[in-house]
């Protein structure tokens, strides 16, 4: 966060105000200049007095000054909270355990990440053979003094000779691509800029495919909209200006392109999309014919109508997970032997939602969601089910990466009370063994995990996970309710040190699987987007009412949290039902629904939200936009908005404008504050020390207003 020279003076001034707010008197907020912007949109005059706060904090001194003054007030207030020190200590202690990433095999080498506990960034290691001695390849902790430069994507070449990897700086979505010689551990001269939303797909050992955008105009790197993404091939040992253009659609600048290469290196599979929906066109390049035909792409699917998730290939047959004629997903294969592709179903749709599939050895491994919890099953290549993997109860399994012919694969398993452990699956026996498991500083068996179902406003049955200490079951305790509800994203059980600190303090945690997510396939997603977006808010409100009605928490003890689309969710429901919640944390939220498509990746989100430039969509957006629907004269819960100066996914202007409007409204005496992190973005790559500090601030704020007292 910003630490201005006036910080300690601000504490002295604001501490009195903070104490006053807790005694029923309002905080004194920094003055925010109101502009006179008013626009006529579809017959309505829409005021936007804080539009100047959309400007980039790094280049506009007025916005930087506003951020500095807001952070001084927020820091001063948070310093008065008695729970803050305990939460900081517990979150840090709960994060202090050895964590491993899923191993990837290339040739005889195994690559994996490891964090010893409190390192700001995980390190990348390699072993020569599964039982070989670990050797450090990359240590991102040495890349920046503040720990905010992170290793993001990394992919070894087919034989493990090279490693391509992406560097993320300060939380931005922009990536720099580099290459490492694995044998020597030396970083090579190859360096690629302006990559974003990219994969790294090796073509043998000679180079890799990646996606990048044109270089943005100077000063607009973190706010300008992203168009004209193209697919390139980079040959090892050459400069970026020598990269070969593989595929682009200049006549359709809104279309983006992503490439993968099948194991064995026969095909490059290009998926193209217009937005966030899994509605893709698919093309393949026969790499065996590249010397004759170059990068000639064969079209398999056109129309942007359905999901086509590539799985892998054996010979001239490719497998895909699709929702074509199967809204919950099915596995299909296409034979490319003839002039026309021949499609066939392999594993048909069933009641559970098919999330992903992989081919490892001579087996298919399919991952399903059953009521938002993982079910993993093994099939033969003809689609006959041979085994269901036994997982440890309610949780999330992920990974299952491998190649045709491999004897093994690795996967992780996690739940609300279990940090991720890594397991090795022997394909010959179907048995799993532990590869790496964390040593815990708490007892998982002390916590009860339940899945319940509640009824939303329109009668829809919605699932909810509920976690708390077994000793507290049957007692009303302060409760944190979390939600997202959008973009076909499923919320599944997983471990969080921050969440565990809340549970250790005696709170309950609830996670609602709202409509708009992907838990039950396409229909569940469709029921919570565009004209149906209000269903998401109704579901979340109904979840809160259920928790109070069932005695999980008392009225006045319910807090809520959500990030990104979930930040929008929090802003919308606080406007609609301010009486229901004691406190709220809206993190990196989309708060101005009439202008979201004008910045960076915002144009992609029209799939879920609709188009602000179309009257029918605009009316829906106007009805719930958090920034435009703040209710003056109504008592609001305590609200802590969190964002970051380098968030170029949801630009921080959303949070700035919303906070300014909330502070200016007559919305009661509870605090309405904003916490603005520096050298951080939308969340990915955030260093451990920033995670601890932010977690302590947020939880102490929610605890203060829900009555949660921490242990002494």
């Amino acid at each position: 966060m910003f630490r201005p020279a006036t910080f300690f003076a601000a504490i002295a001034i604001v501490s009195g105000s903070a104490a006053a707010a807790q005694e029923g008197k309002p905080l004194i907020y920094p003055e925010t200049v109101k502009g006179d912007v008013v626009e006529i949109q579809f017959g309505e005059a829409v005021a936007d007095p804080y539009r100047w706060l959309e400007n980039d904090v790094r280049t506009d001194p007025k916005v930087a000054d506003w951020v500095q003054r807001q952070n001084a007030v927020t820091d001063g207030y948070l310093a008065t909270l008695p729970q803050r020190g305990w939460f900081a200590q517990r979150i840090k202690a709960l994060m202090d355990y050895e964590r491993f990433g899923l191993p990837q095999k290339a040739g005889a080498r195994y690559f994996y990440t490891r964090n010893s506990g409190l390192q700001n960034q995980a390190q990348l290691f390699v072993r020569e053979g599964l039982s070989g001695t670990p050797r450090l390849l990359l240590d991102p902790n040495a890349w920046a003094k503040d720990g905010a430069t992170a290793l993001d994507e990394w992919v070894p070449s087919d034989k493990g000779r090279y490693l391509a990897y992406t560097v993320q700086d300060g939380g931005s979505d922009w990536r720099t691509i580099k290459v490492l010689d694995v044998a020597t551990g030396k970083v090579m001269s190859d360096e690629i800029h302006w990559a974003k939303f990219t994969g790294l797909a090796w073509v043998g050992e000679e180079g890799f495919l990646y996606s990048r955008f044109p270089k943005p105009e100077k000063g607009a790197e973190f706010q300008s909209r992203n168009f004209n993404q193209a697919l390139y091939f980079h040959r090892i040992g050459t400069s970026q200006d020598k990269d070969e253009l593989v595929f682009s659609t200049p006549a359709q600048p809104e279309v983006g392109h992503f490439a993968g290469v099948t194991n064995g290196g026969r095909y490059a599979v290009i998926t193209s999309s217009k937005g966030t929906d899994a509605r893709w066109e698919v093309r393949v390049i026969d790499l065996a014919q590249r010397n004759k035909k170059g990068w000639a792409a064969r079209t398999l699917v056109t129309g942007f109508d359905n999901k086509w998730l590539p799985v892998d290939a054996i010979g001239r047959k490719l497998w895909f997970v699709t929702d074509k004629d199967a809204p919950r997903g099915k596995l299909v294969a296409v034979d490319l032997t003839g002039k026309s592709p021949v499609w066939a179903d392999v594993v048909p749709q069933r009641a559970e939602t098919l999330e992903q599939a992989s081919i490892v050895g001579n087996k298919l491994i399919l991952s399903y969601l059953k009521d938002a919890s993982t079910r993993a099953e093994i099939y033969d290549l003809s689609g006959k089910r041979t085994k269901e993997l036994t997982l440890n109860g309610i949780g999330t399994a992920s990974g299952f990466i491998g190649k045709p012919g491999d004897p093994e694969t690795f996967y992780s398993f996690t739940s609300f009370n279990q940090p991720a452990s890594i397991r090795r699956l022997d394909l010959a026996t179907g048995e799993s063994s532990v590869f790496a498991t964390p040593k815990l500083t708490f007892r998982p068996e002390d916590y009860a995990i339940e899945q319940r179902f509640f009824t939303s406003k329109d009668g829809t049955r919605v699932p909810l996970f509920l976690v708390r200490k077994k000793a507290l079951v049957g007692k009303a305790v302060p409760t944190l309710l979390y939600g997202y509800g959008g973009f076909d994203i499923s919320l599944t059980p997983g471990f969080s040190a921050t969440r565990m600190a809340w549970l250790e303090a005696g709170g309950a945690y609830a996670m609602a699987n709202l409509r708009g997510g992907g838990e039950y396939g396409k229909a569940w997603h469709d029921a919570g987007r565009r004209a149906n977006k209000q269903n998401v808010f109704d579901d979340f409100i109904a979840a809160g009412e259920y928790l109070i009605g069932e005695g999980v928490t008392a009225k006045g003890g319910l807090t809520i949290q959500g990030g990104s689309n979930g930040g929008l969710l929090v802003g919308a429901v606080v406007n609609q039902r301010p009486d229901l919640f004691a406190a709220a944390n809206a993190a990196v939220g989309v708060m101005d629904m009439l202008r979201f498509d004008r910045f960076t990746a915002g144009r992609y989100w029209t799939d879920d939200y609709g188009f602000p430039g179309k009257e029918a969509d605009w009316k829906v957006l106007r009805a719930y936009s958090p920034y435009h629907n703040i209710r003056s004269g109504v008592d609001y819960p305590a609200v802590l908005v969190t964002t970051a100066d380098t968030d170029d996914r949801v630009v921080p202007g959303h949070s700035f404008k919303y906070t300014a409007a909330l502070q200016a409204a007559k919305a009661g005496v509870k605090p309405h504050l904003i916490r603005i992190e520096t050298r951080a973005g939308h969340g990915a790559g955030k260093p451990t020390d920033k995670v601890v500090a932010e977690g302590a601030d947020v939880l102490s704020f929610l605890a203060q207003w829900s009555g949660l007292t921490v242990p002494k």
Side-chain angles (χ1 to χ4, degrees), residues 105 110 360-361 403 405-409 424-428:
K105 184 182 179 184
Y110 289 80
V360 185
K403 302 176 182 178
D406 278 357
E408 65 191 355
T409 186
R424 177 182 179 272
L425 174 64
D426 187 311
L427 270 300

Side-chain angles (χ1 to χ4, degrees), residues 620-704:
V620 174
L621 295 165
R622 175 67 180 84
Y624 70 77
S625 177
Y627 174 55
H628 297 94
N629 288 281
I630 293 169
R631 297 160 61 187
S632 189
V634 176
D635 285 342
Y636 268 54
V639 177
L640 179 61
V641 178
T642 50
T643 187
D645 65 347
T646 318
D647 189 348
D648 51 2
R649 184 82 57 86
V650 179
V651 293
H654 280 280
S655 294
F656 295 174
K657 291 168 62 175
Y658 169 78
T659 301
L662 186 58
Q663 290 178 350
K666 296 178 180 178
V669 298
K670 290 184 178 179
H672 304 136
L673 300 169
I674 185 167
R675 182 190 191 277
I676 305 148
E677 189 68 80
T678 59
R679 293 267 298 151
H682 201 59
K686 186 175 291 186
T688 297
D689 57 7
K690 290 183 185 290
V691 172
V692 172
E694 182 177 15
D697 287 349
V698 171
L699 291 191
S700 61
F701 183 87
L702 299 178
Q704 178 68 27

Side-chain angles (χ1 to χ4, degrees), residues 48 51 53-56 196-197 220-227 590 592 594-605 647-654 657:
D48 191 1
R51 183 169 295 182
L53 285 171
E54 292 177 351
N55 293 343
D56 193 334
K196 182 188 284 194
F197 312 138
E221 297 91 342
F222 301 100
Q223 290 203 312
S224 62
R225 292 189 290 181
N226 304 140
F227 286 105
V590 188
D592 184 342
L594 306 186
R595 289 175 60 80
F596 70 84
D597 61 337
R598 303 187 182 212
F599 303 95
T600 59
R603 67 171 185 83
Y604 295 107
W605 311 334
D647 189 348
D648 51 2
R649 184 82 57 86
V650 179
V651 293
H654 280 280
K657 291 168 62 175

